Amino acid sequence: MSDIPFDRTRRHVLGLGCERGTPAAEVLALAVEALRAAGIGAAELVAIASIDSRRQEAAILAVASHFAVPVVFFDAPRLEEETPRLKNPSEIVFARVGCHGVAESAALAALGVDAELLLGKIKSAHATAAIAGIGLQKA
């Protein structure tokens, strides 16, 4: 779990993954779609989460800036620990980055063991998004 300060309102993390050089507009559109699909308002986001190899990825940083939330990054071994909780594990992702999922794993890792996936991985042409949340009793 990261040190993000969730509360009764801000208790959701948007996990993002993308290919290098993906346009920010594509990732932002996917993020907005994910929030809509999960029924989550932007004011309920506490952070964006991703894999550490995307620490400098302009599109992910642009989405965090758009929503005015921090970004937390996790290495592949930490994300791999979340595999049993994933809705959509991928052998292809594992072969490429060393974990069975980025968006779902990162969202879960950011909130810890009490987190639940509210929205499993959705995709655009070059990016993935997922949303995890933590219950009100945990806030």
Side-chain angles (χ1 to χ4, degrees), residues 13-18 26-35 37-38 48-50 63 88 102-107 117-124 126-132:
V13 171
L14 173 64
L16 292 174
C18 68
E26 178 182 336
V27 180
L28 180 57
L30 184 63
V32 169
E33 179 184 339
L35 292 173
I48 306 293
S50 192
V63 172
N88 302 288
V102 172
E104 290 181 353
S105 296
L117 277 176
L118 301 178
L119 178 69
K121 176 177 68 177
I122 62 172
K123 301 178 190 180
S124 66
H126 307 284
T128 59
I131 296 176

Side-chain angles (χ1 to χ4, degrees), residues 9-94:
T9 300
R10 292 181 163 291
R11 58 191 183 92
H12 298 94
V13 171
L14 173 64
L16 292 174
C18 68
E19 295 174 15
R20 290 195 192 280
T22 301
E26 178 182 336
V27 180
L28 180 57
L30 184 63
V32 169
E33 179 184 339
L35 292 173
R36 182 199 52 74
I40 303 299
E44 296 176 72
L45 280 181
V46 67
I48 306 293
S50 192
I51 192 166
D52 63 356
S53 64
R54 296 300 182 261
R55 187 176 299 277
Q56 301 301 320
E57 194 63 41
I60 291 174
L61 299 175
V63 172
S65 177
H66 175 84
F67 291 117
V69 295
V71 188
V72 292
F73 296 96
F74 299 93
D75 63 22
R78 173 63 188 94
L79 294 182
E80 182 61 11
E81 292 174 17
E82 298 297 337
T83 299
R85 301 200 298 160
L86 302 185
K87 291 182 180 180
N88 302 288
S90 169
E91 291 298 326
I92 294 170
V93 173
F94 182 77

